[in-house]
Amino acid sequence: MDTPFPPYEPNGPNDEARGPRLREIPLRIIIPNVITVLAICAGLTGIRLAFENRYELAVGMVLLAAFLDGIDGRVARLLKATSKFGGQMDSLADIVNFGVAPALVLYVFILDQARSFGWIAALIYAIAAGLRLARFNVMAERETKAKWQSEYFVGVPAPAGAMLVLLPVYLGFLGIAPSPLFGFLASGYTVLIGFLLVSRLPVWSGKSEGSRIRRDLVLPAILLVVLYVATLMSFTWETMVVTVVGYLATLPFGARSWKRKYGGWSAPTTHGASEFPEETDHH
């Protein structure tokens, strides 16, 4: 009597149609994904803390999420554990930690003072972060990349955007009382940061091969990093304000450097590469 299904043949022609097999996965493959999941948890927890009016902890969780989201890719490359699944998880974490979480924390803290204008500003920033992520994914799929892609970002990277957009919160922690005027000013600033995310502004990445420190300056540089961390621990919000202002002040210099190297805003394309740079690492 004929059976309705053919007998199973391991590695046979129909084996792939039966779905993925259960197999053991090395621990080094799991570690980066665990870091990504922890980053998402931190971002979502930041939103919850904001709705509970625990703003300092909320901002701390958002910044922690940005830190974890920034190192998961590097850990994956270090462990040689990159995967398509990890890339998709990383993209999900990006939109949560760099788009949704900062926008909601900012809205609950101050943007609600501007009523509907504040909510519109929060929406614009969150959508801008999503658009930047989509642009990054498209650019990452290109086979040919221009030489300047390791030197500049196109627009402000998403992690920096999350840090920048929270400036009104830092100022609130330093004593500026929430008010409708402050809310409207913060709304305008939030929209500005959103446009910087999706802009074509060349932003120096600091990852080029020429970005090296002279041997005699290595120890002073390490001391400066220690000083910055110590200041951040002791005067957290003052240091964050100075960091944001300093970062924004460097943007014109990055554009000026681009113009000097490549002769203006419309450098010719080469072998299908974009006329503007795009980041080669996670935002």
Side-chain angles (χ1 to χ4, degrees), residues 9-29:
E9 298 179 7
N11 301 321
N14 297 323
D15 189 47
E16 293 184 359
R18 299 175 183 270
R21 297 184 190 177
L22 294 176
R23 60 186 179 88
E24 294 182 353
I25 300 177
L27 182 60
R28 62 183 177 83
I29 301 292

PDB file of all heavy atoms in Angstrom, residues 9-29:
ATOM      1  N   GLU A   9      14.281  11.508   3.949  1.00  0.00           N
ATOM      2  CA  GLU A   9      15.661  11.248   3.587  1.00  0.00           C
ATOM      3  C   GLU A   9      16.511  12.401   4.094  1.00  0.00           C
ATOM      4  O   GLU A   9      16.362  13.532   3.637  1.00  0.00           O
ATOM      5  CB  GLU A   9      15.804  11.145   2.066  1.00  0.00           C
ATOM      6  CG  GLU A   9      15.019  10.010   1.446  1.00  0.00           C
ATOM      7  CD  GLU A   9      15.184   9.979  -0.058  1.00  0.00           C
ATOM      8  OE1 GLU A   9      16.023  10.769  -0.562  1.00  0.00           O
ATOM      9  OE2 GLU A   9      14.500   9.187  -0.721  1.00  0.00           O
ATOM     10  N   PRO A  10      17.398  12.149   5.072  1.00  0.00           N
ATOM     11  CA  PRO A  10      18.277  13.226   5.555  1.00  0.00           C
ATOM     12  C   PRO A  10      19.079  13.816   4.409  1.00  0.00           C
ATOM     13  O   PRO A  10      19.607  13.090   3.563  1.00  0.00           O
ATOM     14  CB  PRO A  10      19.175  12.511   6.575  1.00  0.00           C
ATOM     15  CG  PRO A  10      18.399  11.298   6.977  1.00  0.00           C
ATOM     16  CD  PRO A  10      17.626  10.879   5.760  1.00  0.00           C
ATOM     17  N   ASN A  11      19.145  15.146   4.381  1.00  0.00           N
ATOM     18  CA  ASN A  11      19.878  15.860   3.343  1.00  0.00           C
ATOM     19  C   ASN A  11      19.302  15.610   1.952  1.00  0.00           C
ATOM     20  O   ASN A  11      19.992  15.735   0.940  1.00  0.00           O
ATOM     21  CB  ASN A  11      21.365  15.493   3.359  1.00  0.00           C
ATOM     22  CG  ASN A  11      22.017  15.817   4.682  1.00  0.00           C
ATOM     23  OD1 ASN A  11      21.715  16.862   5.289  1.00  0.00           O
ATOM     24  ND2 ASN A  11      22.890  14.950   5.154  1.00  0.00           N
ATOM     25  N   GLY A  12      18.058  15.191   1.884  1.00  0.00           N
ATOM     26  CA  GLY A  12      17.418  14.943   0.606  1.00  0.00           C
ATOM     27  C   GLY A  12      16.993  16.231  -0.062  1.00  0.00           C
ATOM     28  O   GLY A  12      17.153  17.325   0.475  1.00  0.00           O
ATOM     29  N   PRO A  13      16.412  16.132  -1.273  1.00  0.00           N
ATOM     30  CA  PRO A  13      16.057  17.353  -2.013  1.00  0.00           C
ATOM     31  C   PRO A  13      14.970  18.175  -1.344  1.00  0.00           C
ATOM     32  O   PRO A  13      14.861  19.370  -1.583  1.00  0.00           O
ATOM     33  CB  PRO A  13      15.597  16.797  -3.371  1.00  0.00           C
ATOM     34  CG  PRO A  13      15.161  15.388  -3.078  1.00  0.00           C
ATOM     35  CD  PRO A  13      16.080  14.901  -2.005  1.00  0.00           C
ATOM     36  N   ASN A  14      14.120  17.554  -0.510  1.00  0.00           N
ATOM     37  CA  ASN A  14      13.034  18.279   0.147  1.00  0.00           C
ATOM     38  C   ASN A  14      13.353  18.647   1.591  1.00  0.00           C
ATOM     39  O   ASN A  14      12.469  19.072   2.330  1.00  0.00           O
ATOM     40  CB  ASN A  14      11.749  17.436   0.123  1.00  0.00           C
ATOM     41  CG  ASN A  14      11.273  17.170  -1.300  1.00  0.00           C
ATOM     42  OD1 ASN A  14      11.388  18.035  -2.152  1.00  0.00           O
ATOM     43  ND2 ASN A  14      10.759  15.976  -1.532  1.00  0.00           N
ATOM     44  N   ASP A  15      14.602  18.477   1.969  1.00  0.00           N
ATOM     45  CA  ASP A  15      14.960  18.681   3.375  1.00  0.00           C
ATOM     46  C   ASP A  15      14.777  20.139   3.799  1.00  0.00           C
ATOM     47  O   ASP A  15      14.307  20.417   4.888  1.00  0.00           O
ATOM     48  CB  ASP A  15      16.402  18.251   3.609  1.00  0.00           C
ATOM     49  CG  ASP A  15      16.767  18.219   5.086  1.00  0.00           C
ATOM     50  OD1 ASP A  15      15.974  17.666   5.873  1.00  0.00           O
ATOM     51  OD2 ASP A  15      17.812  18.772   5.453  1.00  0.00           O
ATOM     52  N   GLU A  16      15.129  21.098   2.926  1.00  0.00           N
ATOM     53  CA  GLU A  16      15.036  22.503   3.301  1.00  0.00           C
ATOM     54  C   GLU A  16      13.592  22.943   3.492  1.00  0.00           C
ATOM     55  O   GLU A  16      13.299  23.844   4.263  1.00  0.00           O
ATOM     56  CB  GLU A  16      15.705  23.361   2.226  1.00  0.00           C
ATOM     57  CG  GLU A  16      17.219  23.156   2.149  1.00  0.00           C
ATOM     58  CD  GLU A  16      17.847  24.088   1.138  1.00  0.00           C
ATOM     59  OE1 GLU A  16      17.076  24.863   0.512  1.00  0.00           O
ATOM     60  OE2 GLU A  16      19.066  24.061   0.974  1.00  0.00           O
ATOM     61  N   ALA A  17      12.656  22.293   2.777  1.00  0.00           N
ATOM     62  CA  ALA A  17      11.252  22.689   2.886  1.00  0.00           C
ATOM     63  C   ALA A  17      10.643  22.301   4.222  1.00  0.00           C
ATOM     64  O   ALA A  17       9.568  22.777   4.573  1.00  0.00           O
ATOM     65  CB  ALA A  17      10.446  22.049   1.750  1.00  0.00           C
ATOM     66  N   ARG A  18      11.317  21.450   4.968  1.00  0.00           N
ATOM     67  CA  ARG A  18      10.780  21.003   6.249  1.00  0.00           C
ATOM     68  C   ARG A  18      11.062  21.997   7.372  1.00  0.00           C
ATOM     69  O   ARG A  18      10.676  21.776   8.503  1.00  0.00           O
ATOM     70  CB  ARG A  18      11.361  19.628   6.617  1.00  0.00           C
ATOM     71  CG  ARG A  18      11.021  18.557   5.593  1.00  0.00           C
ATOM     72  CD  ARG A  18      11.718  17.256   5.939  1.00  0.00           C
ATOM     73  NE  ARG A  18      11.448  16.242   4.912  1.00  0.00           N
ATOM     74  CZ  ARG A  18      10.423  15.407   4.943  1.00  0.00           C
ATOM     75  NH1 ARG A  18       9.534  15.493   5.913  1.00  0.00           N
ATOM     76  NH2 ARG A  18      10.235  14.529   3.983  1.00  0.00           N
ATOM     77  N   GLY A  19      11.756  23.090   7.053  1.00  0.00           N
ATOM     78  CA  GLY A  19      12.049  24.080   8.077  1.00  0.00           C
ATOM     79  C   GLY A  19      13.426  23.863   8.676  1.00  0.00           C
ATOM     80  O   GLY A  19      14.099  22.866   8.408  1.00  0.00           O
ATOM     81  N   PRO A  20      13.875  24.830   9.495  1.00  0.00           N
ATOM     82  CA  PRO A  20      15.215  24.731  10.078  1.00  0.00           C
ATOM     83  C   PRO A  20      15.317  23.590  11.083  1.00  0.00           C
ATOM     84  O   PRO A  20      14.366  23.271  11.781  1.00  0.00           O
ATOM     85  CB  PRO A  20      15.386  26.095  10.771  1.00  0.00           C
ATOM     86  CG  PRO A  20      13.985  26.537  11.060  1.00  0.00           C
ATOM     87  CD  PRO A  20      13.148  26.018   9.940  1.00  0.00           C
ATOM     88  N   ARG A  21      16.459  22.983  11.104  1.00  0.00           N
ATOM     89  CA  ARG A  21      16.695  21.910  12.078  1.00  0.00           C
ATOM     90  C   ARG A  21      17.067  22.498  13.431  1.00  0.00           C
ATOM     91  O   ARG A  21      17.577  23.602  13.536  1.00  0.00           O
ATOM     92  CB  ARG A  21      17.846  21.025  11.608  1.00  0.00           C
ATOM     93  CG  ARG A  21      17.604  20.290  10.317  1.00  0.00           C
ATOM     94  CD  ARG A  21      18.799  19.398  10.074  1.00  0.00           C
ATOM     95  NE  ARG A  21      18.767  18.821   8.751  1.00  0.00           N
ATOM     96  CZ  ARG A  21      19.735  18.055   8.269  1.00  0.00           C
ATOM     97  NH1 ARG A  21      20.791  17.816   8.996  1.00  0.00           N
ATOM     98  NH2 ARG A  21      19.643  17.559   7.059  1.00  0.00           N
ATOM     99  N   LEU A  22      16.814  21.712  14.439  1.00  0.00           N
ATOM    100  CA  LEU A  22      17.278  22.089  15.765  1.00  0.00           C
ATOM    101  C   LEU A  22      18.765  21.776  15.839  1.00  0.00           C
ATOM    102  O   LEU A  22      19.195  20.666  15.574  1.00  0.00           O
ATOM    103  CB  LEU A  22      16.516  21.309  16.847  1.00  0.00           C
ATOM    104  CG  LEU A  22      15.023  21.630  16.956  1.00  0.00           C
ATOM    105  CD1 LEU A  22      14.378  20.731  18.000  1.00  0.00           C
ATOM    106  CD2 LEU A  22      14.805  23.086  17.314  1.00  0.00           C
ATOM    107  N   ARG A  23      19.557  22.774  16.207  1.00  0.00           N
ATOM    108  CA  ARG A  23      20.993  22.540  16.309  1.00  0.00           C
ATOM    109  C   ARG A  23      21.548  23.397  17.432  1.00  0.00           C
ATOM    110  O   ARG A  23      20.925  24.349  17.881  1.00  0.00           O
ATOM    111  CB  ARG A  23      21.701  22.889  15.000  1.00  0.00           C
ATOM    112  CG  ARG A  23      21.552  24.338  14.564  1.00  0.00           C
ATOM    113  CD  ARG A  23      22.161  24.551  13.201  1.00  0.00           C
ATOM    114  NE  ARG A  23      22.018  25.928  12.755  1.00  0.00           N
ATOM    115  CZ  ARG A  23      22.882  26.896  13.023  1.00  0.00           C
ATOM    116  NH1 ARG A  23      23.967  26.625  13.764  1.00  0.00           N
ATOM    117  NH2 ARG A  23      22.686  28.120  12.586  1.00  0.00           N
ATOM    118  N   GLU A  24      22.700  23.050  17.868  1.00  0.00           N
ATOM    119  CA  GLU A  24      23.339  23.794  18.942  1.00  0.00           C
ATOM    120  C   GLU A  24      23.943  25.072  18.379  1.00  0.00           C
ATOM    121  O   GLU A  24      24.527  25.076  17.296  1.00  0.00           O
ATOM    122  CB  GLU A  24      24.429  22.937  19.598  1.00  0.00           C
ATOM    123  CG  GLU A  24      23.883  21.721  20.322  1.00  0.00           C
ATOM    124  CD  GLU A  24      24.989  20.920  20.991  1.00  0.00           C
ATOM    125  OE1 GLU A  24      26.172  21.259  20.758  1.00  0.00           O
ATOM    126  OE2 GLU A  24      24.682  19.996  21.737  1.00  0.00           O
ATOM    127  N   ILE A  25      23.802  26.154  19.148  1.00  0.00           N
ATOM    128  CA  ILE A  25      24.332  27.456  18.746  1.00  0.00           C
ATOM    129  C   ILE A  25      25.438  27.837  19.717  1.00  0.00           C
ATOM    130  O   ILE A  25      25.236  27.800  20.938  1.00  0.00           O
ATOM    131  CB  ILE A  25      23.230  28.527  18.753  1.00  0.00           C
ATOM    132  CG1 ILE A  25      22.122  28.139  17.776  1.00  0.00           C
ATOM    133  CG2 ILE A  25      23.797  29.891  18.408  1.00  0.00           C
ATOM    134  CD1 ILE A  25      20.962  29.101  17.764  1.00  0.00           C
ATOM    135  N   PRO A  26      26.606  28.213  19.220  1.00  0.00           N
ATOM    136  CA  PRO A  26      27.701  28.593  20.119  1.00  0.00           C
ATOM    137  C   PRO A  26      27.315  29.766  21.010  1.00  0.00           C
ATOM    138  O   PRO A  26      26.570  30.668  20.588  1.00  0.00           O
ATOM    139  CB  PRO A  26      28.831  28.974  19.147  1.00  0.00           C
ATOM    140  CG  PRO A  26      28.498  28.281  17.872  1.00  0.00           C
ATOM    141  CD  PRO A  26      26.996  28.240  17.809  1.00  0.00           C
ATOM    142  N   LEU A  27      27.826  29.775  22.218  1.00  0.00           N
ATOM    143  CA  LEU A  27      27.518  30.837  23.165  1.00  0.00           C
ATOM    144  C   LEU A  27      27.956  32.204  22.646  1.00  0.00           C
ATOM    145  O   LEU A  27      27.289  33.216  22.889  1.00  0.00           O
ATOM    146  CB  LEU A  27      28.198  30.555  24.511  1.00  0.00           C
ATOM    147  CG  LEU A  27      27.943  31.566  25.639  1.00  0.00           C
ATOM    148  CD1 LEU A  27      26.462  31.638  25.958  1.00  0.00           C
ATOM    149  CD2 LEU A  27      28.747  31.199  26.873  1.00  0.00           C
ATOM    150  N   ARG A  28      29.060  32.261  21.897  1.00  0.00           N
ATOM    151  CA  ARG A  28      29.562  33.534  21.399  1.00  0.00           C
ATOM    152  C   ARG A  28      28.565  34.184  20.421  1.00  0.00           C
ATOM    153  O   ARG A  28      28.568  35.405  20.251  1.00  0.00           O
ATOM    154  CB  ARG A  28      30.910  33.347  20.709  1.00  0.00           C
ATOM    155  CG  ARG A  28      30.871  32.441  19.485  1.00  0.00           C
ATOM    156  CD  ARG A  28      32.258  32.242  18.886  1.00  0.00           C
ATOM    157  NE  ARG A  28      32.228  31.335  17.760  1.00  0.00           N
ATOM    158  CZ  ARG A  28      31.910  31.688  16.525  1.00  0.00           C
ATOM    159  NH1 ARG A  28      31.595  32.951  16.267  1.00  0.00           N
ATOM    160  NH2 ARG A  28      31.900  30.805  15.546  1.00  0.00           N
ATOM    161  N   ILE A  29      27.703  33.384  19.796  1.00  0.00           N
ATOM    162  CA  ILE A  29      26.695  33.935  18.900  1.00  0.00           C
ATOM    163  C   ILE A  29      25.572  34.599  19.694  1.00  0.00           C
ATOM    164  O   ILE A  29      24.968  35.580  19.266  1.00  0.00           O
ATOM    165  CB  ILE A  29      26.109  32.826  17.996  1.00  0.00           C
ATOM    166  CG1 ILE A  29      27.219  32.165  17.175  1.00  0.00           C
ATOM    167  CG2 ILE A  29      25.023  33.375  17.097  1.00  0.00           C
ATOM    168  CD1 ILE A  29      27.817  33.070  16.137  1.00  0.00           C
TER     169      ILE A  29
END
